[in-house]
Amino acid sequence: MRGAPPRDRALLAHISQIDPNAGFMLHDRAVEREVWPTQDYHLAGSHIPVALPEDDLFAGIRPEPPKVLISGAGVAGSTVAYWLRQHGYAPTVVERAPALRRGGQAVDFRGQALTVLERMGVLDQVRERDTGIGDCTVVDAAGEPYAVIPAVVYAGELEVLIDELIEILHDRTAKTGVEYRFGDSITALAPYDDGVDVTFEHAPPERFDLVIGADGAHSAVRSLAFGPETDFAHYLGCYYAYWQTDNHLGLDHEGMATGDGQTAALSVFAVKNNQHTRTGLLFKADRLLPVDRHDQSTQAEILKARAAHLGWQTPTLLEKLDSAVDLYFDAMVQIRMDTWPAGRIALVGDAAYCAAPRPDAARPRP
């Protein structure tokens, strides 16, 4: 950073304060005094104003806030957009899907994650969407119970469906003035010392001060700026899928699961105040399967073939795939990278450090 123009030094210094694990800025008073283009700024979560020097680095150089483009309107994208907006930037979120994505699994919160929700002002909303899920009963192929998994193992202190969390974060962030562009995507990035020229699939080209890829394990930004997905994605030997069905089992804030202990495991949990259930299937595959991530029909056939032998309610749950509109299907991978920024382009969330289980824990259970 030494030798860079003052404007760029200030911008990059502040970007470096992002904590990628917590999803919000670390409050370094010295950096804030150097960076902020306003004379009276209140630290997030504090009522104490910070008096900035008269010769702040942006004065007379950049009267408008720095523009940041974020790819991906999921949990990571909206969270980063919210905190950048709170810290004086002008984020824009671009999302390939025509609307917020639906489906997926539940997300549990505990410890510092609850602090992040509270500081964003959404903790009460998330609590209102708490699944309130109880224990999960494990049954054999004949439906006979033989084990119970306590809710504390998988539900944390608070659990919410991921699509409902995405909706809450989007609504909170949009109210701060963050612009969302749905139905578009980044097709090319041309980075320079003073910005990044971005080409979109539909919108006209535009220059941004910073581009952040928050677009998941299959990140387009990562492929454009860092290299092909195969350089960073490490397959863990299994696939997982989720889809929503009616609650024909009559589950009451509880779950049920079955599996063969070797190749496949299926679980069903009551959601949306017992109105529906969300079914999950994990199955082992020795290698990546030749299936398009967007080909739901082929994915459904694969799931039926891999789990038909499990017994219990599995055949009925697999039949409901034919009418599922929110099927989520993907390979389980870890993303391993030596670095997450490249000049004015950076990655956060699963695009940068998708963890998944350890390879030695990838065997489906029960």
Side-chain angles (χ1 to χ4, degrees), residues 68-74 76-78 81 90-101 170 173 178-189 198-204 206 208 210-216 219-221 224:
V68 182
L69 179 65
I70 300 168
S71 177
S78 285
T92 297
V93 180
V94 61
E95 167 59 51
R96 175 188 295 274
L100 294 176
R101 295 180 184 269
H170 164 269
T173 301
V178 172
E179 177 188 0
Y180 281 80
R181 302 177 185 176
F182 290 96
D184 207 350
S185 61
I186 300 171
T187 59
L189 296 170
V198 181
T199 303
F200 297 94
E201 184 177 0
H202 301 296
E206 190 173 349
F208 292 86
L210 175 70
V211 174
I212 296 178
D215 43 353
S219 170
V221 172
L224 292 170

Side-chain angles (χ1 to χ4, degrees), residues 80-97:
V80 169
Y82 174 84
W83 286 108
L84 285 174
R85 180 67 175 173
Q86 297 303 302
H87 286 69
Y89 294 88
T92 297
V93 180
V94 61
E95 167 59 51
R96 175 188 295 274

Side-chain angles (χ1 to χ4, degrees), residues 149-204:
I149 305 174
V152 67
V153 173
Y154 52 81
E157 299 176 48
L158 176 63
E159 183 189 70
V160 64
L161 295 177
I162 191 168
D163 46 7
E164 295 186 349
L165 176 63
I166 288 172
E167 178 185 346
I168 291 171
L169 294 176
H170 164 269
D171 293 350
R172 179 73 176 103
T173 301
K175 287 180 179 178
T176 68
V178 172
E179 177 188 0
Y180 281 80
R181 302 177 185 176
F182 290 96
D184 207 350
S185 61
I186 300 171
T187 59
L189 296 170
Y192 298 94
D193 290 342
D194 59 349
V196 182
D197 287 343
V198 181
T199 303
F200 297 94
E201 184 177 0
H202 301 296

Side-chain angles (χ1 to χ4, degrees), residues 11-362:
L11 178 62
L12 294 174
H14 198 89
I15 292 167
S16 70
Q17 301 306 300
I18 295 177
D19 176 359
N21 295 310
F24 60 92
M25 299 287 188
L26 298 178
H27 302 305
D28 186 315
R29 184 176 293 265
V31 171
E32 285 173 338
R33 286 183 179 274
E34 178 185 19
V35 172
W36 291 111
T38 59
Q39 295 301 311
D40 185 7
Y41 172 69
H42 290 261
L43 289 176
S46 170
H47 298 292
I48 303 175
V50 178
L52 296 175
E54 292 297 328
D55 58 340
D56 95 80
L57 295 177
F58 284 109
I61 300 176
R62 170 164 292 178
E64 76 282 0
K67 294 170 57 180
V68 182
L69 179 65
I70 300 168
S71 177
V75 174
S78 285
T79 302
V80 169
Y82 174 84
W83 286 108
L84 285 174
R85 180 67 175 173
Q86 297 303 302
H87 286 69
Y89 294 88
T92 297
V93 180
V94 61
E95 167 59 51
R96 175 188 295 274
L100 294 176
R101 295 180 184 269
R102 310 301 302 178
Q105 58 187 323
V107 180
D108 64 281
F109 294 91
R110 62 191 81 201
Q112 291 185 348
L114 294 171
T115 303
V116 177
L117 296 177
E118 184 176 19
R119 290 183 178 180
M120 292 184 70
V122 297
L123 180 57
D124 289 342
Q125 290 177 270
V126 174
R127 289 195 187 281
E128 290 174 1
R129 303 287 188 97
D130 186 2
T131 62
I133 199 67
D135 297 342
C136 177
T137 301
V138 184
V139 301
D140 60 21
E144 293 297 322
Y146 66 88
V148 174
I149 305 174
V152 67
V153 173
Y154 52 81
E157 299 176 48
L158 176 63
E159 183 189 70
V160 64
L161 295 177
I162 191 168
D163 46 7
E164 295 186 349
L165 176 63
I166 288 172
E167 178 185 346
I168 291 171
L169 294 176
H170 164 269
D171 293 350
R172 179 73 176 103
T173 301
K175 287 180 179 178
T176 68
V178 172
E179 177 188 0
Y180 281 80
R181 302 177 185 176
F182 290 96
D184 207 350
S185 61
I186 300 171
T187 59
L189 296 170
Y192 298 94
D193 290 342
D194 59 349
V196 182
D197 287 343
V198 181
T199 303
F200 297 94
E201 184 177 0
H202 301 296
E206 190 173 349
R207 170 163 286 207
F208 292 86
D209 296 286
L210 175 70
V211 174
I212 296 178
D215 43 353
H218 304 291
S219 170
V221 172
R222 188 184 61 227
S223 295
L224 292 170
F226 294 85
E229 182 174 317
T230 51
D231 289 353
F232 310 107
H234 298 264
Y235 178 54
L236 299 184
C238 54
Y239 279 75
Y240 59 109
Y242 298 92
W243 65 99
Q244 187 166 290
T245 69
D246 60 284
N247 188 6
H248 74 282
L249 295 174
L251 299 178
D252 183 10
H253 295 92
E254 60 187 324
M256 297 187 72
T258 192
D260 61 12
Q262 294 294 325
T263 66
L266 180 140
S267 62
V268 189
F269 287 89
V271 297
K272 300 183 184 298
N273 199 27
N274 297 328
Q275 296 180 40
H276 304 283
T277 60
R278 193 151 290 187
T279 302
L281 178 62
L282 177 71
F283 68 87
K284 186 176 180 180
D286 293 336
R287 60 184 63 86
L288 288 170
L289 303 176
V291 56
D292 189 296
R293 291 191 299 112
H294 306 290
D295 185 353
Q296 183 170 321
S297 177
T298 300
Q299 294 170 0
E301 293 305 313
I302 292 174
L303 294 172
K304 292 176 183 179
R306 297 283 179 157
H309 66 286
L310 291 183
W312 182 53
Q313 292 286 326
T314 302
T316 301
L317 293 167
L318 292 175
E319 286 178 7
K320 296 180 182 295
L321 279 167
D322 296 333
S323 57
V325 296
D326 59 352
L327 174 62
Y328 181 89
F329 177 101
D330 206 352
M332 187 173 289
V333 299
Q334 284 183 341
I335 300 299
R336 306 174 194 166
M337 303 184 69
D338 294 329
T339 183
W340 301 328
R344 291 179 172 269
I345 303 171
L347 303 173
V348 298
D350 284 351
Y353 37 81
C354 178
R358 304 182 311 276
D360 62 350

